[in-house]
């Protein structure tokens, strides 16, 4: 539930500091593995969500390391999270590289640095880390009413960095016909 940002377009009204325990998370993962095996699935994707999932890095680390040590015959298990990238320390980045065979991560970044600052924050994000270490993962770009007129510049800025982009319009904003015209122009 927790997030360290207050994005202008965030639709979550009541953020809090609730975090899942490692015990609960491992219990959920083990139950999903059992279900997947029983259903004859060949792959399982465990997704960590938030707020900002890396505010509970202890659970991500514990689950992923448990999965790495406990391979399941007949079932390929991966883990995934999307992060805003603002709290990743060198230690976490090093860990991500060590476990990227089982854990994938993508980043939310809203176009150019100016667009990012307009929507989110001026806190730094090491975008190059995500693009170089996880090149098949997309950069999640959210376009708000405030950044719509710079959409093409933001896409171009990300593409010049070899980012793969997944673009969405901000949820819950009152989009107008005039916005649709700007979108078409962009």
């Amino acid at each position: 539930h927790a997030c360290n940002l207050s994005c202008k377009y965030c639709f979550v009204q009541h953020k809090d500091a609730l975090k899942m325990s490692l015990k609960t998370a491992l219990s959920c993962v083990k139950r999903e593995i059992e279900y997947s095996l029983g259903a004859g699935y060949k792959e399982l994707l465990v997704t960590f969500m938030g707020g900002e999932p890396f505010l509970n890095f202890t659970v991500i680390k514990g689950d992923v390391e448990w999965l790495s040590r406990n391979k399941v015959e007949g079932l390929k298990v991966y883990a995934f999270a999307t992060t805003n990238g603002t709290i990743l320390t060198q230690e976490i980045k090093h860990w991500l590289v060590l476990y990227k065979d089982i854990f994938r991560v993508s980043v939310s970044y809203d176009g150019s640095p100016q667009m990012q600052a307009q929507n989110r924050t001026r806190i730094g994000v090491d975008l190059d880390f995500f693009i170089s270490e996880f090149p098949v993962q997309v950069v999640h770009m959210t376009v708000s009413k405030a950044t719509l007129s710079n959409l093409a510049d933001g896409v171009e800025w990300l593409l010049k960095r070899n980012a793969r982009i997944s673009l969405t319009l901000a949820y819950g904003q009152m989009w107008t016909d005039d916005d649709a015209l700007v979108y078409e122009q962009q």
Side-chain angles (χ1 to χ4, degrees), residues 25 27 32 37 44 48 52 54 59 62 73 81 86 89 106 109 120 128-129 146 159:
S27 173
E32 288 302 314
L37 288 169
L44 172 65
F48 298 95
E52 171 49 49
F54 282 90
V59 165
E73 190 172 328
T86 61
T89 62
S106 67
Y109 196 88
R120 295 170 179 247
D128 292 335
F129 168 78
L159 289 175

Side-chain angles (χ1 to χ4, degrees), residues 42-63:
K42 301 294 180 203
E43 292 185 354
L44 172 65
L45 176 64
V46 176
T47 303
F48 298 95
M49 298 171 30
E52 171 49 49
F54 282 90
L55 287 172
N56 200 2
F57 180 60
T58 302
V59 165
I60 294 173
K61 185 176 188 279
D63 270 1

Side-chain angles (χ1 to χ4, degrees), residues 21-45:
S21 71
L22 179 56
K23 180 181 177 182
T24 299
L26 282 172
S27 173
C28 292
V29 167
K30 290 173 186 176
R31 186 176 62 237
E32 288 302 314
I33 288 171
E34 287 178 28
Y35 176 81
S36 296
L37 288 169
Y41 296 152
K42 301 294 180 203
E43 292 185 354
L44 172 65
L45 176 64

Side-chain angles (χ1 to χ4, degrees), residues 48 59-68 79 95 99 102-103:
F48 298 95
V59 165
I60 294 173
K61 185 176 188 279
D63 270 1
V64 170
E65 289 178 3
W66 184 89
L67 289 168
S68 183
W95 182 89
Y99 286 92
I102 189 172
F103 184 72

Side-chain angles (χ1 to χ4, degrees), residues 121-159:
T121 180
R122 293 196 183 275
I123 296 173
V125 175
D126 186 355
L127 191 59
D128 292 335
F129 168 78
F130 293 98
I131 294 169
S132 66
E133 293 296 336
F134 300 93
V136 299
Q137 299 301 322
V138 297
V139 173
H140 295 276
M141 178 181 172
T142 301
V143 179
S144 68
K145 287 178 75 76
T147 60
L148 179 62
S149 62
N150 299 97
L151 171 59
D153 292 337
V155 168
E156 182 178 18
W157 190 87
L158 287 170
L159 289 175

